[in-house]
Amino acid sequence: MGFSLPLQDLHWCFSISKCNENLLHHGWCSRPRYLFGRNRESRAISILPINALSVETPPFPLFHTRKVEESPSELEPVDPDFYRIGYARSMRAYGIEFKEGPHGFGVYASKDVEPLRRARLIMEIPLELMLTISKKHPWMFFPDIIPVGHPIFDIINSTNPETDWDLRLACLLLYAFDCNDNFWQLYCDFLPSSEECSSLLLATEGDLLELQDQNLALTMREQQHRAMEFWEKNWHSGVPLKIKRLARDPERFMWALSMVQSRSINMQMRTGALIQDANMLVPYADMLNHSFEPNCFFHWRFKDRMLEVMINAGEHIKKGEELTVNYMNGQKNDVIMQRYGFSSSVNPWDVIQFSGNVQIHLDSFLSVFTISGLPEEYYHNSELSGDIFVDGAVIAAARTLPTWSDGDTPPLPSTERRAAKELQEECYEMLAQFPTTSQEDQKILDSMPAARTLESVIRYRLNRKLFIQKVIQALEMYQDRILF
């Protein structure tokens, strides 16, 4: 898990986009084997034909009824040792259970949670269980497990203070694995192996080519080169054995780096009178999966140096429902994929780059889909639509489509329909530029054996196409309903 927003005003929680929770829910990125089994994006959808390029598109609806999904029957409670190693060190969980299925860990409600006007505590993780390193030099660690004079500190101290937070935390994680009687030696057994991880840091050159996204592939090559260069510099043949055994091969270091990037929390904390920004690896909380409409958030309790997981105020959760947090609000799929190894066809923050000068009327488009708010806070107005929720891709379309607005000037239906058709045609041109279609990508996913990184890569390019297809359908519905 990983988050990039700091704690503000001594209280930090994730902002949410009020999209369909069931459609926007994804597995926990750092446990990629947990990501894809409960993918809900492949439901069939219907895209109405228009007079444009001939591109086959699968059918799927843009509106959905909210429903609570019970915990899948194939999920089983985790090994009791998973609880014991934390409870022996003052970690506490209330009204929840950790379950593991064919696609990994998740946190589920063990009983019904009635809505309250205040947030409700479900998990407490003491600072002593976390791996923490300050974001500014001089580096401050907690717990202070590195002895004075140990060469790992010199390696950490050689990193770039502005950009290498993940390299520093990866070194600390590898050192913790090597410490006798350290909690992370035991917790390591519950982390995914490199074969189970979908991080693009572990992707081969062939995997990166399968992204069908040259910019993202280039970014990941640079990230891999950066990590390899760091390993070669500090794990050469002349280093002491106590350093060499931490990461004897680059794959070990790359795995640790992928764990750090996908599971860390970047936030502000206080120890005594000292308040500082820090990068933290938080056990147990890192088992929470992602949703663009989360039902939980994090809160730092300064007095007891404790991280709390809280259920949102007013949230009603049924027994068996999964508890989620938002990993990275306001980011496109390529950024999420780079950091976490997963993507979504209903990410409300994704973007399509249009090249023409065609525009549609913003207020008219928003009214057709009952979307409210400002661009940075668009949400589907459920008070007007009842239990029917718009697909998150439609909210992304409202942000990404070229629009115009001129006070009370009403749009001309004929002009709007012409503009919508031109935008649709450009979307079809974008789809035609992909080497494969969404149907071909789905067949590959359905037939391929378990290969976590390649699976996430294929799903990334599929989700990009599904997003464009949903924008096409939204424009078709806009033409039918404009000035109704």
Side-chain angles (χ1 to χ4, degrees):
M1 161 183 108
F3 307 93
S4 59
L5 300 179
L7 183 70
Q8 300 292 339
D9 298 328
L10 308 186
H11 182 275
W12 176 47
C13 68
F14 294 96
S15 60
I16 63 174
S17 299
K18 299 182 180 178
C19 309
N20 182 356
E21 176 179 359
N22 294 323
L23 289 167
L24 299 182
H25 174 220
H26 289 272
W28 182 224
C29 65
S30 60
R31 307 192 63 90
R33 56 183 176 139
Y34 313 153
L35 170 60
F36 306 107
R38 48 179 180 273
N39 173 30
R40 303 183 179 110
E41 299 167 5
S42 57
R43 301 179 181 178
I45 47 183
S46 164
I47 293 186
L48 302 176
I50 66 170
N51 296 326
L53 300 178
S54 176
V55 179
E56 184 182 0
T57 51
F60 42 72
L62 292 180
F63 291 91
H64 311 271
T65 302
R66 177 190 291 275
K67 64 178 180 180
V68 175
E69 296 190 9
E70 296 296 326
S71 173
S73 58
E74 66 268 19
L75 296 183
E76 298 180 358
V78 298
D79 186 330
D81 286 342
F82 181 71
Y83 295 91
R84 292 193 187 106
I85 62 174
Y87 268 67
R89 296 166 174 83
S90 301
M91 176 270 176
R92 294 294 181 266
Y94 310 99
I96 63 171
E97 54 187 344
F98 298 89
K99 290 187 177 182
E100 185 176 11
H103 299 281
F105 277 102
V107 183
Y108 295 83
S110 60
K111 61 182 180 180
D112 288 350
V113 178
E114 298 300 324
L116 296 178
R117 294 185 179 181
R118 55 180 176 82
R120 188 178 313 213
L121 176 68
I122 59 170
M123 204 184 304
E124 294 177 301
I125 304 99
L127 181 63
E128 285 72 17
L129 284 191
M130 307 173 197
L131 289 180
T132 306
I133 184 170
S134 62
K135 296 178 69 172
K136 294 183 179 181
H137 193 268
W139 315 123
M140 298 184 66
F141 305 93
F142 197 92
D144 190 10
I145 57 177
I146 301 179
V148 176
H150 195 284
I152 194 66
F153 184 82
D154 294 331
I155 295 177
I156 293 174
N157 202 42
S158 69
T159 58
N160 187 321
E162 301 298 326
T163 60
D164 293 343
W165 67 270
D166 52 345
L167 299 178
R168 291 189 287 274
L169 197 53
C171 291
L172 184 61
L173 178 63
L174 288 169
Y175 182 82
F177 290 155
D178 191 58
C179 289
N180 293 329
D181 301 322
N182 187 278
F183 167 82
W184 284 87
Q185 273 193 329
L186 302 175
Y187 195 74
C188 178
D189 294 337
F190 300 97
L191 298 177
S193 65
S194 57
E195 292 77 17
E196 298 167 331
C197 185
S198 67
S199 171
L200 292 185
L201 285 171
L202 305 174
T204 65
E205 179 60 26
D207 293 337
L208 296 180
L209 292 176
E210 292 293 339
L211 282 169
Q212 298 180 2
D213 185 332
Q214 295 182 358
N215 292 331
L216 179 57
L218 177 60
T219 298
M220 293 316 304
R221 291 188 190 100
E222 293 172 348
Q223 289 291 318
Q224 290 175 338
H225 176 74
R226 165 177 166 263
M228 183 64 68
E229 191 177 54
F230 182 80
W231 180 84
E232 291 174 347
K233 176 183 176 182
N234 296 290
W235 270 267
H236 54 81
S237 59
V239 300
L241 177 61
K242 56 184 175 180
I243 290 297
K244 183 176 294 185
R245 69 189 182 198
L246 301 183
R248 292 182 178 272
D249 52 69
E251 289 76 16
R252 173 70 171 176
F253 181 78
M254 205 73 78
W255 171 82
L257 189 62
S258 68
M259 292 296 101
V260 165
Q261 288 192 0
S262 59
R263 306 181 82 89
S264 67
I265 298 175
N266 308 329
M267 62 184 298
Q268 198 176 69
M269 57 170 287
R270 185 174 74 185
T271 52
L274 179 63
I275 298 177
Q276 60 184 169
D277 294 321
N279 302 112
M280 312 169 73
L281 286 170
V282 186
Y284 298 99
D286 61 5
M287 299 300 173
L288 287 159
N289 287 322
H290 168 75
S291 172
F292 287 111
E293 190 184 1
N295 48 29
C296 295
F297 66 93
F298 290 154
H299 174 257
W300 181 255
R301 197 169 75 208
F302 289 140
K303 179 180 179 182
D304 304 313
R305 300 192 302 181
M306 190 85 67
L307 184 74
E308 301 175 324
V309 180
M310 313 284 288
I311 294 178
N312 296 340
E315 194 81 27
H316 179 260
I317 299 175
K318 290 187 177 181
K319 180 180 179 179
E321 185 177 351
E322 186 166 15
L323 304 174
T324 57
V325 292
N326 190 339
Y327 292 176
M328 186 180 283
N329 188 62
Q331 295 294 339
K332 300 185 297 180
N333 268 348
D334 58 348
V335 177
I336 296 177
M337 186 70 180
Q338 175 186 337
R339 176 79 179 266
Y340 302 112
F342 74 86
S343 58
S344 168
S345 67
V346 293
N347 180 354
W349 298 98
D350 214 4
V351 170
I352 297 177
Q353 297 294 340
F354 290 92
S355 59
N357 297 321
V358 180
Q359 295 178 320
I360 59 174
H361 191 266
L362 175 60
D363 295 335
S364 179
F365 184 85
L366 296 179
S367 65
V368 164
F369 294 99
T370 326
I371 298 175
S372 305
L374 300 174
E376 63 273 12
E377 296 179 352
Y378 277 149
Y379 62 92
H380 189 65
N381 197 332
S382 58
E383 295 181 359
L384 298 180
S385 57
D387 291 332
I388 304 301
F389 287 79
V390 74
D391 193 302
V394 181
I395 294 179
R399 291 193 178 97
T400 193
L401 285 170
T403 58
W404 66 278
S405 181
D406 188 15
D408 298 328
T409 303
L412 297 176
S414 59
T415 303
E416 285 295 295
R417 292 191 182 98
R418 190 182 310 115
K421 278 189 175 293
E422 290 188 33
L423 291 174
Q424 282 180 306
E425 291 173 359
E426 187 169 353
C427 287
Y428 275 111
E429 291 172 358
M430 294 177 189
L431 290 175
Q433 293 173 2
F434 286 103
T436 60
T437 66
S438 58
Q439 290 82 5
E440 291 170 342
D441 290 343
Q442 189 61 59
K443 288 180 181 179
I444 294 173
L445 288 174
D446 293 340
S447 60
M448 70 186 302
R452 302 308 172 191
T453 303
L454 182 58
E455 185 179 7
S456 68
V457 164
I458 302 298
R459 194 167 297 281
Y460 170 79
R461 74 191 198 196
L462 171 62
N463 287 336
R464 184 61 175 171
K465 296 162 192 172
L466 292 179
F467 173 47
I468 297 174
Q469 291 169 352
K470 290 179 180 182
V471 172
I472 293 173
Q473 187 188 6
L475 288 168
E476 187 69 34
M477 296 177 64
Y478 176 57
Q479 295 173 62
D480 292 339
R481 300 184 181 188
I482 183 174
L483 296 183
F484 60 89

